[in-house]
Amino acid sequence: MAAAVCTEPESAITRVFHLLGKRWTGLILAALMSGPGHFAELRRAVPGISERMLSDRLTELASFGLVSRSVEEGPPLRVSYSLTDAGHALRPAMVELTRWADSHLPLSAGSCPEAFRE
């Protein structure tokens, strides 16, 4: 009987989890799946996140081309965030992860964002 061999994950999956595995990132993406949102709306949609962390995560997601930022002239001046095409392309993967969680993770681990239920 051959011994099981543990191999290093492929580069692509390592890059994915380096970004999406960060705390709050998935929840921010989930909040934006249903449409654009202003900063204050996103903060309310992601309970427990600080303004600084939300700002940092949105900046990072924008730098990876998953989120776009648009400034709405005022007064008052408002900033809106939305998913780019690349961000929307994550939806099927997020839906499948949600289905997996519903089947394999206890409910105490958190509830499924409504945007991923089909």
Side-chain angles (χ1 to χ4, degrees):
M1 187 172 208
V5 177
C6 180
T7 60
E8 183 177 331
E10 290 188 35
S11 173
I13 199 71
T14 300
R15 290 191 324 265
V16 166
F17 280 103
H18 179 74
L19 174 63
L20 299 182
K22 289 184 178 178
R23 187 171 186 192
W24 310 114
T25 300
L27 294 175
I28 293 167
L29 291 170
L32 290 170
M33 287 286 171
S34 58
H38 295 100
F39 189 89
E41 295 167 340
L42 291 172
R43 183 140 190 265
R44 284 190 300 272
V46 183
I49 193 168
S50 68
E51 287 184 7
R52 171 68 188 255
M53 184 58 67
L54 178 57
S55 178
D56 288 350
R57 289 293 183 263
L58 287 168
T59 299
E60 182 176 41
L61 289 169
S63 75
F64 279 93
L66 300 176
V67 170
S68 65
R69 178 183 188 270
S70 63
V71 177
E72 301 167 12
E73 296 301 324
L77 186 77
R78 292 185 67 169
V79 178
S80 178
Y81 297 89
S82 59
L83 293 178
T84 63
D85 289 343
H88 280 291
L90 284 168
R91 184 176 176 75
M94 299 286 274
V95 167
E96 288 305 314
L97 285 170
T98 300
R99 287 185 183 140
W100 177 86
D102 282 344
S103 297
H104 300 285
L105 293 179
L107 288 177
S108 62
S111 61
C112 169
E114 200 59 38
F116 299 138
R117 296 204 185 274
E118 289 189 346

